[in-house]
């Protein structure tokens, strides 16, 4: 979920025009509309398709870094914390190659790809629905006369859409985490087996472990991405207006992703660990709620424990934004052929 909110600066999580437009910021509505008319325009279905494929390509290319992030995040749950300082990115890469093989870097990636399209579709339609509802709220119904209300409307709509999409598709996110976290001991043979085993051993509620941390991180993640992206982009354009819009979006999107990752990473770490509670019949480590889990990690692993795995996450941000942006724009141009605009 968190990646969708952070990298959503450009088109991640579906490439929707609605979600990426959240970063309109302080610009007036007419200016934003003129910018949206630039470049090829496509209908809703092709737009979702292009965004879904772009997200899948980006996830596949950065899957090794994503798995490394998860493996580092869950270290300390069943390990001796004193030995964790010996682990490093290259040591873990070598271990995976030696013990699991090259294909293991993409473990759980198929679930991520399957997760992409429903998440994108739900986000897109939920965003439009929430925007219509929010326009009924006094103060948010005159977009052209109030740029601040327009920003708030899109920010709230994007946050609510993210919460809705994350809740509905959360079981796939949990399964992906459990598949990616498997090393020597294989508890789940694939997506369907994991869904069946979790329901059998932990009940339906087991599919929603860690949902609280996920939903709690949606708002801050979108807000940080929005504010950092818009501030950087406005400043860049004022200083270097001649620079390519693609370069500006890529650079500002990457920096906003890094800022959002840094601020919300502890929540993402807690989410991953809660998702793995009871996996394969193992004993639960955190028997308290969200706050108690934070306290347990801080007490046993220190402040650094809350940022375990942040380096591969940083390494993932820039290529993820770049790949999804270029893939989306390429597909958008391809799908905007004769008659494409009539497919809405």
């Amino acid at each position: 979920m968190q990646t969708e909110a952070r990298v959503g600066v450009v088109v991640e999580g579906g490439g929707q025009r609605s979600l990426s437009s959240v970063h309109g910021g302080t610009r007036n509505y007419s200016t934003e509309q003129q910018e949206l008319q630039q470049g090829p325009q496509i209908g809703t279905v092709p737009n979702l398709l292009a965004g879904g494929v772009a997200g899948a390509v980006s996830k596949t290319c950065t899957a090794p870094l994503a798995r490394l992030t998860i493996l580092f995040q869950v270290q300390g749950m069943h390990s001796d914390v004193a030995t964790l300082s010996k682990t490093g990115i290259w040591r873990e890469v070598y271990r995976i190659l030696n013990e699991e093989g090259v294909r293991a870097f993409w473990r759980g990636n198929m679930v991520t790809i399957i997760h992409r399209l429903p998440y994108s579709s739900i986000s897109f339609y939920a965003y439009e629905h929430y925007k219509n509802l929010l326009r009924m709220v006094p103060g948010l119904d005159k977009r052209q006369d109030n740029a601040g209300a327009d920003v708030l409307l899109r920010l709230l709509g994007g946050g609510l859409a993210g919460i809705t999409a994350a809740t509905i598709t959360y079981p796939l996110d949990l399964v992906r985490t459990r598949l990616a976290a498997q090393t020597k001991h294989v508890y789940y043979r694939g997506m369907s087996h994991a869904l069946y085993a979790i329901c059998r051993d932990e009940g339906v509620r087991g599919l929603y472990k860690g949902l609280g941390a996920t939903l709690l991180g949606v708002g801050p993640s979108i807000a940080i991405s929005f504010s950092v992206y818009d501030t950087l982009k406005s400043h860049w354009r004022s200083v270097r207006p001649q620079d390519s819009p693609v370069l500006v979006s890529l650079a500002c999107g990457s920096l906003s992703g890094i800022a959002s990752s840094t601020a919300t990473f502890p929540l993402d770490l807690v989410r991953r660990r809660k998702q793995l509670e009871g996996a394969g019949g193992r004993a639960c480590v955190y028997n308290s709620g969200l706050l108690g889990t934070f306290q347990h990690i801080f007490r046993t692993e220190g402040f650094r424990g809350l940022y375990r795995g942040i380096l591969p996450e940083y390494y993932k941000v820039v290529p993820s934004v770049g790949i999804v942006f270029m893939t989306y724009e390429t597909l958008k141009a391809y799908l905007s052929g004769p008659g494409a605009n009539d497919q809405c």
Side-chain angles (χ1 to χ4, degrees):
M1 183 286 306
Q2 205 170 18
T3 300
E4 286 77 2
R6 291 194 304 267
V7 188
V9 167
V10 186
V11 287
E12 179 71 354
Q16 301 98 317
R17 291 162 294 181
S18 54
L19 291 183
S20 62
S21 70
V22 165
H23 303 287
T26 57
R27 295 172 294 168
N28 59 48
Y29 184 62
S30 60
T31 301
E32 182 180 52
Q33 286 296 93
Q34 290 175 3
E35 289 188 4
L36 287 175
Q37 295 303 318
Q38 296 176 359
Q41 299 298 311
I42 57 177
T44 300
V45 174
N47 197 22
L48 285 173
L49 178 62
V53 173
V57 172
S58 174
K59 291 289 186 181
T60 301
C61 292
T62 60
L65 288 170
R67 186 170 185 232
L68 284 172
T69 298
I70 292 175
L71 289 174
F72 277 107
Q73 283 179 321
V74 301
Q75 285 178 347
M77 288 186 68
H78 300 280
S79 305
D80 180 7
V81 177
T83 65
L84 296 181
S85 60
K86 299 180 181 179
T87 61
I89 294 178
W90 290 112
R91 185 186 293 269
E92 187 65 15
V93 168
Y94 176 78
R95 185 202 63 76
I96 294 173
L97 287 172
N98 189 47
E99 297 180 2
E100 305 175 52
V102 175
R103 292 181 59 185
F105 284 109
W106 282 268
R107 183 169 292 169
N109 186 59
M110 183 57 66
V111 183
T112 301
I113 294 175
I114 294 173
H115 171 268
R116 190 70 13 224
L117 188 56
Y119 185 96
S120 302
S121 302
I122 295 168
S123 296
F124 182 84
Y125 289 110
Y127 179 78
E128 295 298 332
H129 180 70
Y130 285 129
K131 273 204 310 183
N132 293 332
L133 289 178
L134 289 169
R135 285 197 184 102
M136 301 178 186
V137 178
L140 297 179
D141 53 345
K142 296 181 179 179
R143 301 185 64 203
Q144 295 185 4
D145 300 331
N146 191 338
D150 181 35
V151 171
L152 181 59
L153 183 146
R154 286 179 283 140
L155 189 59
L156 289 174
L160 290 171
I163 289 173
T164 301
T167 301
I168 295 175
T169 62
Y170 189 79
L172 288 174
D173 184 45
L174 181 138
V175 167
R176 188 272 169 137
T177 298
R178 294 203 175 185
L179 290 175
Q182 292 184 141
T183 53
K184 294 180 181 179
H185 305 287
V186 177
Y187 305 115
Y188 310 113
R189 296 189 296 271
M191 182 180 69
S192 59
H193 179 254
L195 289 169
Y196 168 77
I198 293 169
C199 290
R200 180 194 63 201
D201 300 335
E202 306 168 50
V204 176
R205 291 183 61 184
L207 295 173
Y208 290 89
K209 289 182 176 179
L211 179 61
T214 298
L215 300 184
L216 190 61
V218 169
S221 185
I222 291 178
I224 294 168
S225 291
F226 166 81
S227 57
V228 174
Y229 180 88
D230 186 65
T231 302
L232 291 174
K233 189 173 182 179
S234 298
H235 177 71
W236 190 319
R237 284 184 168 178
S238 66
V239 175
R240 299 177 62 88
Q242 74 281 3
D243 285 350
S244 167
V246 175
L247 174 62
V248 174
S249 295
L250 178 58
C252 295
S254 299
L255 291 173
S256 69
I258 291 173
S260 179
S261 294
T262 304
T264 60
F265 193 81
L267 274 173
D268 193 52
L269 181 138
V270 169
R271 171 174 71 105
R272 296 298 189 191
R273 294 200 179 187
K274 296 294 285 185
Q275 285 178 333
L276 287 174
E277 284 279 75
R282 303 181 77 172
C284 291
V285 178
Y286 312 110
N287 298 314
S288 55
L290 185 63
L291 182 59
T293 303
F294 269 110
Q295 292 174 337
H296 183 279
I297 295 173
F298 184 79
R299 184 176 63 253
T300 57
E301 303 175 49
F303 182 77
R304 291 181 61 184
L306 295 173
Y307 283 89
R308 196 176 301 282
I310 190 68
L311 283 181
E313 182 70 13
Y314 282 159
Y315 299 153
K316 186 180 68 175
V317 169
V318 177
S320 182
V321 172
I323 293 168
V324 76
F325 184 78
M326 289 184 290
T327 306
Y328 175 70
E329 290 300 326
T330 300
L331 289 173
K332 185 179 176 181
Y334 177 77
L335 294 172
S336 64
N341 293 328
D342 301 328
Q343 296 182 35
C344 243

